[in-house]
Amino acid sequence: MADMKRQEILGQIKEQGEVVRQLKAANAEKDKITEEVSKLLELKAQLGDGASQKFVLKTPKGTRDYTPKQMAIRNGVFNTITECFRRHGAETIDTPVFELKETLTGKYGEDSKLIYDLKDQGGELLSLRYDLTVPFARYLAMNKINKIKRYHIAKVYRRDNPAMTRGRYREFYQCDFDIAGQYDPMIPDAECVKIVHEILNDLGLGKFVIKVNHRQILDGMFAVCGVPEDKFRTACSSVDKLDKTFWEDVRAEMVDEKGIDPDAADRIGQYVRLNGGLELIDQLLQDPKMSSNKSAKDGLEAMRLLLRYCEIFGILDKVSFDLSLARGLDYYTGIIYEAILTGHETLSTKSGDQVGVGSVAGGGRYDGLVGMFDPKKKNVPCVGVSIGIERVFSIMEAKAKAEEAKIRTTHTQVLVASPTKGMLEERMKLCQHLWAAGIRAEIIYKKNPTILIQYQHAEKMDIPLIAVIAEQEIKDGTVTLRNTATREEGPVPREEIVAAIKARCQELGA
């Protein structure tokens, strides 16, 4: 490496090292420190020469690996969510992880800048999917489907600024449930809200509230506040940030960056502070400005119907009609909702209020999205919800760690063991017999492991049963079945071992 180039890199290393020191001294966020340390290591790696150059082993920014224990928690969450979706009659589909760029373009408003574009692939401009909703709409239009209830669990990608301690990544799973088809107002919408309620209850995440609003109400609100119609969506995008930041910042963005009149912004500020239930609908219908706006009035009547259905479903106590809820995606046309964990992570505003950052689910109605893909512009009404699964995982992992819960990372029911040498083939034969009967069994991959090593393996991996065979058991035609936790054991006839193991596993819930 040329001396001038080396000196330049050394200078950059010095500067980057100072950045890291300042962040640590200021007790900055762990994610930010990790990011800057990675930059420092990359600079140091450049000082190597050719083959001796260091390769920095790390996952890309905004991604992570998952340990077996973390995967066990994730799979448990997936199972709970999938069971709920199936309980409500949904079938599942899958779509490609990347789409034609033009499929995704113009569907996400200001968030379009977060889409990952891929290099030209043989004449096709491609992008990684940003969510599962737009691919679903493309799927409906392409296959001429006008009625389906589906769920889809898969990874999506966003060039977002990650905050991994809060469950915000660049690669993450979404769990979507959508109802497509022409139905009577608010019936499928209310069921989607009910599904969110069931999932959060089943996962035991603590206190939560499901905020609901309506795009027609928002549009009416912007109109009566004096926002030009061509700025409704950009104003909506700003209001959408209220769950992450303060009103003062949102107002500044509206006025300084988006050119909305300061008086209009102040009027919006008065409305977005309102939340409640049926009484808020009555209050807004008595508001001379809101009640005289057709869009707002229609939206409020639709909201009244939704809350009535939520009451029938027994979830009204967890539902809040909140005018600050906006959801910035351009494709929403009707009801919108978002689930907030009220017991997790809040930020204090300058006025002393608390802003939650615990959003774990969101969705709404998007009646015009399918028509964007249909050659004849034929619309298929749709409503759906997406569970923010990474946020849920972060909370479940922290909960398991705090409770020091023991987590099984395998599903093995029985370990086949032997206390004597020369029994490998006999262990393999018994293992094969159990596998053929559908029992989850394993052996230690050693010819002559000590019985202590085998018992310790069963305890470490939380394998509930141990099937022990030795020369005496073979002679007697039996197997000694041992309970790993209690260490109680006894002989079982060889021909009855399958039934005995299944019975014991049923008792132990294994």
Short mmCIF file of all heavy atoms in Angstrom, two decimals, residues 128-173:
data_model
loop_
_atom_site.label_atom_id
_atom_site.label_comp_id
_atom_site.label_asym_id
_atom_site.label_seq_id
_atom_site.Cartn_x
_atom_site.Cartn_y
_atom_site.Cartn_z
N LEU A 128 -36.68 -5.50 -4.00
CA LEU A 128 -37.12 -6.37 -2.91
C LEU A 128 -38.46 -5.87 -2.40
O LEU A 128 -38.69 -4.65 -2.32
CB LEU A 128 -36.09 -6.37 -1.78
CG LEU A 128 -34.74 -7.00 -2.07
CD1 LEU A 128 -33.82 -6.87 -0.86
CD2 LEU A 128 -34.87 -8.45 -2.48
N ARG A 129 -39.35 -6.79 -2.03
CA ARG A 129 -40.67 -6.37 -1.58
C ARG A 129 -40.56 -5.56 -0.28
O ARG A 129 -39.78 -5.89 0.62
CB ARG A 129 -41.59 -7.57 -1.40
CG ARG A 129 -41.15 -8.58 -0.37
CD ARG A 129 -42.03 -9.81 -0.39
NE ARG A 129 -41.51 -10.83 0.51
CZ ARG A 129 -41.78 -12.12 0.39
NH1 ARG A 129 -42.55 -12.57 -0.58
NH2 ARG A 129 -41.27 -12.99 1.25
N TYR A 130 -41.35 -4.52 -0.21
CA TYR A 130 -41.38 -3.60 0.94
C TYR A 130 -42.38 -4.07 1.99
O TYR A 130 -42.20 -3.85 3.18
CB TYR A 130 -41.76 -2.20 0.43
CG TYR A 130 -41.92 -1.14 1.49
CD1 TYR A 130 -40.84 -0.36 1.89
CD2 TYR A 130 -43.16 -0.91 2.08
CE1 TYR A 130 -41.00 0.62 2.85
CE2 TYR A 130 -43.33 0.07 3.04
CZ TYR A 130 -42.24 0.83 3.43
OH TYR A 130 -42.40 1.81 4.38
N ASP A 131 -43.44 -4.69 1.51
CA ASP A 131 -44.44 -5.28 2.40
C ASP A 131 -45.08 -6.46 1.68
O ASP A 131 -44.63 -6.85 0.59
CB ASP A 131 -45.48 -4.24 2.85
CG ASP A 131 -46.34 -3.72 1.70
OD1 ASP A 131 -46.21 -4.23 0.56
OD2 ASP A 131 -47.16 -2.80 1.93
N LEU A 132 -46.11 -7.05 2.26
CA LEU A 132 -46.80 -8.18 1.63
C LEU A 132 -48.13 -7.77 1.00
O LEU A 132 -48.75 -8.56 0.30
CB LEU A 132 -47.06 -9.28 2.68
CG LEU A 132 -45.81 -9.85 3.37
CD1 LEU A 132 -46.21 -10.89 4.41
CD2 LEU A 132 -44.84 -10.45 2.36
N THR A 133 -48.53 -6.52 1.23
CA THR A 133 -49.84 -6.06 0.75
C THR A 133 -49.84 -5.80 -0.75
O THR A 133 -50.73 -6.26 -1.47
CB THR A 133 -50.27 -4.80 1.51
OG1 THR A 133 -50.23 -5.06 2.91
CG2 THR A 133 -51.67 -4.38 1.11
N VAL A 134 -48.85 -5.05 -1.24
CA VAL A 134 -48.80 -4.74 -2.67
C VAL A 134 -48.60 -6.02 -3.50
O VAL A 134 -49.29 -6.21 -4.51
CB VAL A 134 -47.72 -3.68 -2.96
CG1 VAL A 134 -47.52 -3.52 -4.47
CG2 VAL A 134 -48.10 -2.34 -2.34
N PRO A 135 -47.69 -6.93 -3.13
CA PRO A 135 -47.62 -8.20 -3.86
C PRO A 135 -48.95 -8.98 -3.85
O PRO A 135 -49.30 -9.64 -4.83
CB PRO A 135 -46.52 -8.97 -3.13
CG PRO A 135 -45.63 -7.91 -2.57
CD PRO A 135 -46.57 -6.81 -2.16
N PHE A 136 -49.68 -8.90 -2.74
CA PHE A 136 -50.99 -9.57 -2.66
C PHE A 136 -51.96 -8.95 -3.67
O PHE A 136 -52.69 -9.67 -4.38
CB PHE A 136 -51.54 -9.44 -1.24
CG PHE A 136 -52.94 -9.97 -1.06
CD1 PHE A 136 -53.26 -11.27 -1.42
CD2 PHE A 136 -53.93 -9.17 -0.52
CE1 PHE A 136 -54.55 -11.77 -1.24
CE2 PHE A 136 -55.22 -9.66 -0.34
CZ PHE A 136 -55.53 -10.95 -0.70
N ALA A 137 -51.97 -7.63 -3.76
CA ALA A 137 -52.84 -6.95 -4.71
C ALA A 137 -52.46 -7.32 -6.15
O ALA A 137 -53.33 -7.56 -7.00
CB ALA A 137 -52.77 -5.44 -4.52
N ARG A 138 -51.17 -7.40 -6.42
CA ARG A 138 -50.70 -7.82 -7.74
C ARG A 138 -51.14 -9.25 -8.04
O ARG A 138 -51.59 -9.58 -9.14
CB ARG A 138 -49.17 -7.70 -7.80
CG ARG A 138 -48.53 -7.89 -9.17
CD ARG A 138 -48.07 -9.32 -9.40
NE ARG A 138 -47.22 -9.82 -8.35
CZ ARG A 138 -47.13 -11.09 -8.01
NH1 ARG A 138 -47.85 -12.01 -8.64
NH2 ARG A 138 -46.32 -11.48 -7.05
N TYR A 139 -51.05 -10.12 -7.04
CA TYR A 139 -51.47 -11.52 -7.17
C TYR A 139 -52.96 -11.62 -7.51
O TYR A 139 -53.37 -12.40 -8.38
CB TYR A 139 -51.16 -12.23 -5.85
CG TYR A 139 -51.71 -13.62 -5.70
CD1 TYR A 139 -51.03 -14.73 -6.20
CD2 TYR A 139 -52.92 -13.83 -5.04
CE1 TYR A 139 -51.54 -16.02 -6.05
CE2 TYR A 139 -53.44 -15.12 -4.90
CZ TYR A 139 -52.74 -16.21 -5.40
OH TYR A 139 -53.25 -17.46 -5.25
N LEU A 140 -53.79 -10.82 -6.83
CA LEU A 140 -55.23 -10.85 -7.10
C LEU A 140 -55.53 -10.40 -8.53
O LEU A 140 -56.32 -11.04 -9.23
CB LEU A 140 -55.96 -9.93 -6.11
CG LEU A 140 -55.95 -10.32 -4.63
CD1 LEU A 140 -56.72 -9.29 -3.80
CD2 LEU A 140 -56.55 -11.70 -4.41
N ALA A 141 -54.91 -9.29 -8.95
CA ALA A 141 -55.17 -8.76 -10.29
C ALA A 141 -54.68 -9.72 -11.37
O ALA A 141 -55.37 -9.95 -12.37
CB ALA A 141 -54.52 -7.39 -10.44
N MET A 142 -53.49 -10.28 -11.15
CA MET A 142 -52.89 -11.15 -12.16
C MET A 142 -53.68 -12.44 -12.33
O MET A 142 -53.82 -12.96 -13.45
CB MET A 142 -51.44 -11.46 -11.75
CG MET A 142 -50.59 -12.09 -12.84
SD MET A 142 -48.89 -12.30 -12.29
CE MET A 142 -48.99 -13.85 -11.44
N ASN A 143 -54.23 -12.94 -11.23
CA ASN A 143 -54.98 -14.21 -11.28
C ASN A 143 -56.48 -14.02 -11.35
O ASN A 143 -57.24 -14.99 -11.23
CB ASN A 143 -54.61 -15.06 -10.06
CG ASN A 143 -53.16 -15.52 -10.09
OD1 ASN A 143 -52.81 -16.43 -10.83
ND2 ASN A 143 -52.31 -14.88 -9.30
N LYS A 144 -56.92 -12.75 -11.50
CA LYS A 144 -58.35 -12.42 -11.63
C LYS A 144 -59.17 -13.01 -10.48
O LYS A 144 -60.23 -13.60 -10.67
CB LYS A 144 -58.88 -12.88 -12.98
CG LYS A 144 -58.25 -12.15 -14.16
CD LYS A 144 -58.79 -12.62 -15.49
CE LYS A 144 -58.31 -11.74 -16.63
NZ LYS A 144 -56.85 -11.54 -16.69
N ILE A 145 -58.66 -12.83 -9.26
CA ILE A 145 -59.34 -13.29 -8.04
C ILE A 145 -60.09 -12.10 -7.43
O ILE A 145 -59.51 -11.04 -7.23
CB ILE A 145 -58.33 -13.87 -7.04
CG1 ILE A 145 -57.64 -15.11 -7.62
CG2 ILE A 145 -59.01 -14.20 -5.71
CD1 ILE A 145 -56.46 -15.59 -6.81
N ASN A 146 -61.35 -12.27 -7.14
CA ASN A 146 -62.11 -11.16 -6.54
C ASN A 146 -62.67 -11.50 -5.16
O ASN A 146 -63.41 -10.71 -4.58
CB ASN A 146 -63.24 -10.72 -7.47
CG ASN A 146 -64.18 -11.85 -7.84
OD1 ASN A 146 -64.33 -12.81 -7.08
ND2 ASN A 146 -64.80 -11.74 -9.01
N LYS A 147 -62.28 -12.67 -4.65
CA LYS A 147 -62.75 -13.04 -3.31
C LYS A 147 -61.80 -14.06 -2.71
O LYS A 147 -61.63 -15.16 -3.25
CB LYS A 147 -64.17 -13.63 -3.41
CG LYS A 147 -64.83 -13.91 -2.07
CD LYS A 147 -66.24 -14.43 -2.27
CE LYS A 147 -66.93 -14.69 -0.94
NZ LYS A 147 -68.30 -15.23 -1.11
N ILE A 148 -61.19 -13.70 -1.58
CA ILE A 148 -60.28 -14.62 -0.88
C ILE A 148 -60.03 -14.09 0.53
O ILE A 148 -60.06 -12.88 0.78
CB ILE A 148 -58.93 -14.79 -1.64
CG1 ILE A 148 -58.09 -15.91 -1.00
CG2 ILE A 148 -58.15 -13.48 -1.65
CD1 ILE A 148 -56.81 -16.24 -1.78
N LYS A 149 -59.84 -15.00 1.46
CA LYS A 149 -59.39 -14.66 2.81
C LYS A 149 -58.05 -15.37 3.00
O LYS A 149 -58.02 -16.60 3.05
CB LYS A 149 -60.40 -15.12 3.85
CG LYS A 149 -60.12 -14.67 5.27
CD LYS A 149 -61.01 -15.37 6.29
CE LYS A 149 -62.46 -14.99 6.12
NZ LYS A 149 -63.30 -15.60 7.21
N ARG A 150 -56.97 -14.62 3.06
CA ARG A 150 -55.66 -15.26 3.05
C ARG A 150 -54.74 -14.71 4.15
O ARG A 150 -54.89 -13.59 4.61
CB ARG A 150 -54.98 -15.10 1.68
CG ARG A 150 -54.24 -13.79 1.43
CD ARG A 150 -52.78 -13.88 1.89
NE ARG A 150 -51.96 -12.75 1.51
CZ ARG A 150 -51.84 -11.63 2.19
NH1 ARG A 150 -52.55 -11.44 3.28
NH2 ARG A 150 -51.02 -10.67 1.80
N TYR A 151 -53.78 -15.56 4.56
CA TYR A 151 -52.69 -15.07 5.41
C TYR A 151 -51.37 -15.38 4.73
O TYR A 151 -51.25 -16.29 3.91
CB TYR A 151 -52.77 -15.66 6.82
CG TYR A 151 -52.39 -17.12 6.96
CD1 TYR A 151 -51.08 -17.50 7.25
CD2 TYR A 151 -53.36 -18.13 6.86
CE1 TYR A 151 -50.74 -18.83 7.40
CE2 TYR A 151 -53.03 -19.46 7.02
CZ TYR A 151 -51.70 -19.81 7.29
OH TYR A 151 -51.36 -21.12 7.45
N HIS A 152 -50.36 -14.59 5.06
CA HIS A 152 -49.04 -14.73 4.45
C HIS A 152 -48.01 -14.32 5.48
O HIS A 152 -48.08 -13.21 6.03
CB HIS A 152 -48.96 -13.82 3.20
CG HIS A 152 -47.74 -14.04 2.36
ND1 HIS A 152 -47.44 -13.25 1.26
CD2 HIS A 152 -46.74 -14.95 2.45
CE1 HIS A 152 -46.32 -13.68 0.72
NE2 HIS A 152 -45.88 -14.70 1.43
N ILE A 153 -47.06 -15.20 5.76
CA ILE A 153 -45.98 -14.92 6.71
C ILE A 153 -44.67 -15.04 5.96
O ILE A 153 -44.31 -16.11 5.48
CB ILE A 153 -46.01 -15.89 7.91
CG1 ILE A 153 -47.34 -15.74 8.68
CG2 ILE A 153 -44.83 -15.66 8.83
CD1 ILE A 153 -47.52 -16.71 9.82
N ALA A 154 -43.95 -13.92 5.83
CA ALA A 154 -42.72 -13.92 5.02
C ALA A 154 -41.89 -12.68 5.35
O ALA A 154 -42.34 -11.76 6.02
CB ALA A 154 -43.06 -13.95 3.53
N LYS A 155 -40.65 -12.68 4.82
CA LYS A 155 -39.74 -11.56 5.07
C LYS A 155 -39.96 -10.42 4.08
O LYS A 155 -40.28 -10.65 2.91
CB LYS A 155 -38.28 -12.03 4.97
CG LYS A 155 -37.82 -12.84 6.18
CD LYS A 155 -36.35 -13.18 6.07
CE LYS A 155 -35.86 -13.90 7.34
NZ LYS A 155 -34.43 -14.24 7.26
N VAL A 156 -39.77 -9.19 4.58
CA VAL A 156 -39.81 -8.00 3.73
C VAL A 156 -38.56 -7.17 4.04
O VAL A 156 -37.85 -7.43 5.02
CB VAL A 156 -41.08 -7.16 3.97
CG1 VAL A 156 -42.32 -7.96 3.63
CG2 VAL A 156 -41.14 -6.66 5.41
N TYR A 157 -38.29 -6.16 3.19
CA TYR A 157 -37.02 -5.43 3.27
C TYR A 157 -37.24 -3.93 3.14
O TYR A 157 -37.98 -3.48 2.27
CB TYR A 157 -36.08 -5.93 2.16
CG TYR A 157 -35.80 -7.41 2.28
CD1 TYR A 157 -36.67 -8.34 1.74
CD2 TYR A 157 -34.70 -7.86 2.99
CE1 TYR A 157 -36.46 -9.70 1.89
CE2 TYR A 157 -34.47 -9.22 3.15
CZ TYR A 157 -35.35 -10.14 2.59
OH TYR A 157 -35.13 -11.47 2.75
N ARG A 158 -36.57 -3.16 4.02
CA ARG A 158 -36.69 -1.71 3.98
C ARG A 158 -35.35 -1.05 4.31
O ARG A 158 -34.69 -1.44 5.26
CB ARG A 158 -37.75 -1.23 4.98
CG ARG A 158 -39.13 -1.75 4.66
CD ARG A 158 -40.20 -1.25 5.59
NE ARG A 158 -41.49 -1.88 5.28
CZ ARG A 158 -42.61 -1.66 5.95
NH1 ARG A 158 -42.63 -0.81 6.94
NH2 ARG A 158 -43.72 -2.29 5.59
N ARG A 159 -35.00 -0.05 3.52
CA ARG A 159 -33.75 0.69 3.75
C ARG A 159 -33.98 1.74 4.83
O ARG A 159 -33.68 2.92 4.67
CB ARG A 159 -33.28 1.35 2.45
CG ARG A 159 -32.79 0.38 1.39
CD ARG A 159 -32.45 1.04 0.08
NE ARG A 159 -31.46 2.12 0.24
CZ ARG A 159 -31.71 3.40 0.02
NH1 ARG A 159 -32.91 3.80 -0.36
NH2 ARG A 159 -30.77 4.30 0.16
N ASP A 160 -34.51 1.29 5.94
CA ASP A 160 -34.85 2.18 7.05
C ASP A 160 -33.63 2.38 7.94
O ASP A 160 -32.64 1.65 7.84
CB ASP A 160 -35.99 1.55 7.86
CG ASP A 160 -36.81 2.58 8.62
OD1 ASP A 160 -36.38 3.74 8.67
OD2 ASP A 160 -37.87 2.21 9.15
N ASN A 161 -33.70 3.39 8.81
CA ASN A 161 -32.65 3.57 9.80
C ASN A 161 -32.97 2.62 10.95
O ASN A 161 -33.92 2.84 11.69
CB ASN A 161 -32.62 5.02 10.29
CG ASN A 161 -31.41 5.28 11.18
OD1 ASN A 161 -30.38 4.63 11.05
ND2 ASN A 161 -31.54 6.22 12.09
N PRO A 162 -32.21 1.54 11.10
CA PRO A 162 -32.60 0.50 12.06
C PRO A 162 -32.45 0.94 13.51
O PRO A 162 -31.55 1.72 13.85
CB PRO A 162 -31.66 -0.66 11.73
CG PRO A 162 -30.48 -0.03 11.09
CD PRO A 162 -30.97 1.19 10.37
N ALA A 163 -33.33 0.44 14.35
CA ALA A 163 -33.22 0.60 15.81
C ALA A 163 -33.49 -0.78 16.38
O ALA A 163 -34.61 -1.11 16.77
CB ALA A 163 -34.21 1.63 16.32
N MET A 164 -32.45 -1.60 16.40
CA MET A 164 -32.64 -3.03 16.65
C MET A 164 -33.10 -3.33 18.07
O MET A 164 -33.77 -4.33 18.31
CB MET A 164 -31.36 -3.78 16.31
CG MET A 164 -31.06 -3.67 14.80
SD MET A 164 -29.47 -4.33 14.30
CE MET A 164 -29.78 -6.08 14.40
N THR A 165 -32.78 -2.45 19.03
CA THR A 165 -33.25 -2.68 20.39
C THR A 165 -34.75 -2.49 20.49
O THR A 165 -35.39 -2.96 21.42
CB THR A 165 -32.55 -1.72 21.37
OG1 THR A 165 -32.74 -0.37 20.91
CG2 THR A 165 -31.06 -2.02 21.45
N ARG A 166 -35.34 -1.79 19.52
CA ARG A 166 -36.78 -1.59 19.50
C ARG A 166 -37.47 -2.48 18.47
O ARG A 166 -38.63 -2.31 18.16
CB ARG A 166 -37.11 -0.12 19.18
CG ARG A 166 -36.62 0.85 20.25
CD ARG A 166 -36.97 2.27 19.87
NE ARG A 166 -36.43 3.22 20.83
CZ ARG A 166 -36.51 4.54 20.69
NH1 ARG A 166 -37.10 5.05 19.63
NH2 ARG A 166 -36.00 5.34 21.60
N GLY A 167 -36.73 -3.43 17.91
CA GLY A 167 -37.33 -4.34 16.96
C GLY A 167 -37.53 -3.76 15.58
O GLY A 167 -38.39 -4.21 14.84
N ARG A 168 -36.72 -2.75 15.21
CA ARG A 168 -36.83 -2.17 13.87
C ARG A 168 -35.61 -2.59 13.06
O ARG A 168 -34.48 -2.23 13.39
CB ARG A 168 -36.92 -0.64 13.92
CG ARG A 168 -37.29 -0.02 12.57
CD ARG A 168 -37.17 1.49 12.59
NE ARG A 168 -37.95 2.07 13.65
CZ ARG A 168 -37.67 3.24 14.22
NH1 ARG A 168 -36.61 3.93 13.84
NH2 ARG A 168 -38.43 3.71 15.19
N TYR A 169 -35.86 -3.37 11.99
CA TYR A 169 -34.77 -3.94 11.19
C TYR A 169 -34.94 -3.57 9.72
O TYR A 169 -35.96 -3.02 9.31
CB TYR A 169 -34.78 -5.46 11.32
CG TYR A 169 -34.56 -5.96 12.73
CD1 TYR A 169 -35.64 -6.14 13.60
CD2 TYR A 169 -33.29 -6.26 13.20
CE1 TYR A 169 -35.46 -6.58 14.89
CE2 TYR A 169 -33.10 -6.70 14.49
CZ TYR A 169 -34.18 -6.87 15.33
OH TYR A 169 -33.99 -7.31 16.61
N ARG A 170 -33.92 -3.91 8.93
CA ARG A 170 -34.02 -3.74 7.49
C ARG A 170 -34.54 -5.01 6.81
O ARG A 170 -35.05 -4.95 5.70
CB ARG A 170 -32.65 -3.35 6.91
CG ARG A 170 -32.25 -1.93 7.27
CD ARG A 170 -30.94 -1.52 6.64
NE ARG A 170 -30.78 -0.07 6.72
CZ ARG A 170 -29.74 0.59 6.22
NH1 ARG A 170 -28.76 -0.07 5.63
NH2 ARG A 170 -29.68 1.90 6.32
N GLU A 171 -34.36 -6.13 7.46
CA GLU A 171 -34.93 -7.40 7.01
C GLU A 171 -35.76 -7.94 8.16
O GLU A 171 -35.26 -8.11 9.27
CB GLU A 171 -33.82 -8.40 6.67
CG GLU A 171 -34.36 -9.78 6.28
CD GLU A 171 -33.29 -10.86 6.27
OE1 GLU A 171 -32.66 -11.06 7.33
OE2 GLU A 171 -33.09 -11.49 5.23
N PHE A 172 -37.04 -8.17 7.91
CA PHE A 172 -37.90 -8.63 9.00
C PHE A 172 -39.12 -9.35 8.45
O PHE A 172 -39.47 -9.23 7.27
CB PHE A 172 -38.33 -7.46 9.89
CG PHE A 172 -39.05 -6.35 9.16
CD1 PHE A 172 -40.43 -6.30 9.13
CD2 PHE A 172 -38.34 -5.35 8.52
CE1 PHE A 172 -41.11 -5.29 8.47
CE2 PHE A 172 -38.99 -4.32 7.87
CZ PHE A 172 -40.38 -4.28 7.84
N TYR A 173 -39.75 -10.10 9.33
CA TYR A 173 -40.96 -10.84 8.97
C TYR A 173 -42.19 -9.96 9.13
O TYR A 173 -42.26 -9.11 10.02
CB TYR A 173 -41.14 -12.06 9.87
CG TYR A 173 -40.43 -13.30 9.40
CD1 TYR A 173 -39.19 -13.65 9.91
CD2 TYR A 173 -41.01 -14.13 8.45
CE1 TYR A 173 -38.53 -14.79 9.50
CE2 TYR A 173 -40.37 -15.28 8.02
CZ TYR A 173 -39.13 -15.60 8.55
OH TYR A 173 -38.48 -16.74 8.13
#
